Amino acid sequence: MREFVITTDSTVDLPKSMLEDKNIPYIPLSYILDGETYEDRKGLSSKEFFDKIRNGSMPTTSQVNPEQAAEFFEPFLKEGKDILHIAFSSGLSGTYNSTRIAGEELAEKYPEAKIIIIDSLRACLGQGMLVVKALQQKEEGKGIEQIAQWVQEYRTKICANVTVDDLNHLHRGGRVSKATAILGTVVQIKPIIHMDDEGKLQVIGKERGRKKALNKIVDMMEEQMKGYESENDLIFITHGDCLEDANYLKSRVEKKYGISNIVINDIGTVIGTHTGPGVAAVFCIGNTLQ
């Protein structure tokens, strides 16, 4: 069996230490802020990035193109390795399509290689959870096709429960109307969001006040995790420069579900561009709510 590598995109938003310890190669996306181009999660710290947004800066992001993807993949193929790439949701970016095109072109150049490109239909630490679980299976000795089949099956079983502090960023992304954003901000309405089976963000509810919204995204896990309790040995929490809220979520998950293996990490700059500061999310395995 040929050696293979599991790769992903910078939107995976895993902690730097985990990316390094597990030797996870990733394709960096980029963003433009105040006229300068930055690589995702590099250049500006999370706090610096979100402080600039709070002060009125409006970043924009750019997807990976096929040439960048091919340049990233080819060194592994030259080493005689197969590739399993878990890509950023096609519901949020064209990056998956670019990596797919690159994979098809490289397959003609390296016909002996397996190049499997999977649309994760997830982002941030939801995408990260797929990558981590896939790597665990690789360490257990499973092959590339078996792991790819698992990712295909489980990508829509990664539950992402999200709330944001400012509806205006969702309005910029076309997720809510301007009137809703203005009214929600005035009356402190906090949306409850999840990722659907097409990998898109959907507003599925609302709570009045931040604390109620944080409680809600934890309470949602109870129904989601039914039948998947044994698989939730790891919970991810992300935040947009609101660590106190992330720690509150962690304490609630520990108390309510008895899960202690919880990883908190700040949200990446590319994803954070579209959520704004104050985003908080919990990720688990289970039945996604439609």
Side-chain angles (χ1 to χ4, degrees), residues 13 47 49 77 94 172 175 185-186 243 245 285:
D13 286 355
K47 180 161 185 56
F49 175 77
L77 300 171
R172 282 179 58 209
R175 299 298 169 190
T185 300
V186 170
L243 182 58
D245 289 340
I285 295 176

Side-chain angles (χ1 to χ4, degrees), residues 2-214:
R2 280 167 55 101
E3 188 178 351
F4 67 96
V5 61
I6 296 174
T7 64
T8 189
D9 313 310
S10 62
T11 49
V12 77
D13 286 355
L14 290 166
K16 183 179 179 181
S17 59
M18 188 175 288
L19 289 167
E20 293 175 349
D21 291 346
K22 294 185 177 295
N23 193 25
I24 303 171
Y26 62 87
I27 307 175
L29 277 73
S30 60
Y31 64 97
I32 301 171
L33 183 63
D34 296 336
E36 291 195 42
T37 300
Y38 299 90
E39 196 173 287
D40 190 16
R41 302 191 69 90
K42 292 186 178 179
L44 293 176
S45 69
S46 178
K47 180 161 185 56
E48 289 171 332
F49 175 77
F50 285 118
D51 278 347
K52 283 182 175 290
I53 293 178
R54 290 184 181 106
N55 291 328
S57 295
M58 297 294 242
T60 57
T61 60
S62 60
Q63 65 189 49
V64 169
N65 62 46
E67 292 74 22
Q68 290 173 303
E71 185 178 342
F72 171 78
F73 289 139
E74 192 160 20
F76 301 114
L77 300 171
K78 287 181 176 178
E79 293 171 2
K81 296 177 181 177
D82 294 334
I83 297 171
L84 171 57
H85 183 75
I86 301 174
F88 183 24
S89 172
S90 63
L92 298 176
S93 170
T95 293
Y96 160 70
N97 195 47
S98 293
T99 54
R100 181 189 58 79
I101 291 169
E104 290 174 354
E105 291 175 351
L106 289 169
E108 295 179 4
K109 188 174 180 181
Y110 298 89
E112 74 286 355
K114 289 180 182 174
I115 306 171
I116 303 174
I117 313 293
I118 299 179
D119 179 357
S120 73
L121 300 175
R122 292 296 175 262
C124 191
L125 288 174
Q127 182 184 351
M129 186 172 285
L130 283 174
V131 172
V132 169
K133 295 288 185 179
L135 285 167
Q136 288 176 352
Q137 294 181 45
K138 183 184 178 187
E139 291 168 1
E140 293 167 1
K142 293 181 180 177
I144 186 171
E145 291 181 342
Q146 189 176 5
I147 297 172
Q149 184 178 351
W150 180 89
V151 174
Q152 290 274 14
E153 178 185 350
Y154 265 75
R155 57 186 179 173
T156 55
K157 297 184 186 299
I158 304 298
C159 304
N161 301 332
V162 188
T163 188
V164 296
D165 204 36
D166 185 347
L167 284 164
N168 289 301
H169 296 283
L170 284 176
H171 165 60
R172 282 179 58 209
R175 299 298 169 190
V176 299
S177 69
K178 184 174 182 179
T180 298
I182 293 172
L183 179 61
T185 300
V186 170
V187 299
Q188 285 294 294
I189 292 296
K190 306 301 180 185
I192 304 300
I193 303 162
H194 84 143
M195 291 197 75
D196 64 20
D197 287 352
E198 295 180 353
K200 299 177 181 179
L201 291 171
Q202 299 290 349
V203 177
I204 58 171
K206 57 188 177 182
E207 296 290 332
R208 180 162 292 185
R210 177 71 164 180
K211 188 61 66 71
K212 286 184 178 180
L214 294 173

Side-chain angles (χ1 to χ4, degrees), residues 262-283:
I262 301 171
V263 174
I264 294 176
N265 196 39
D266 55 281
I267 201 164
T269 43
V270 165
I271 304 295
T273 291
H274 302 287
T275 63
V279 60
V282 182
F283 302 85

Side-chain angles (χ1 to χ4, degrees), residues 203-251:
V203 177
I204 58 171
K206 57 188 177 182
E207 296 290 332
R208 180 162 292 185
R210 177 71 164 180
K211 188 61 66 71
K212 286 184 178 180
L214 294 173
N215 289 337
K216 179 64 175 181
I217 63 175
V218 172
D219 292 342
M220 288 165 61
M221 296 169 61
E222 183 171 0
E223 188 66 27
Q224 291 167 332
M225 293 193 299
K226 284 182 178 177
Y228 294 88
E229 290 86 356
S230 63
E231 299 186 54
N232 281 286
D233 56 344
L234 172 65
I235 298 296
F236 280 134
I237 294 173
T238 193
H239 68 97
D241 196 27
C242 53
L243 182 58
E244 185 176 339
D245 289 340
N247 283 324
Y248 174 76
L249 290 172
K250 179 182 178 182
S251 66

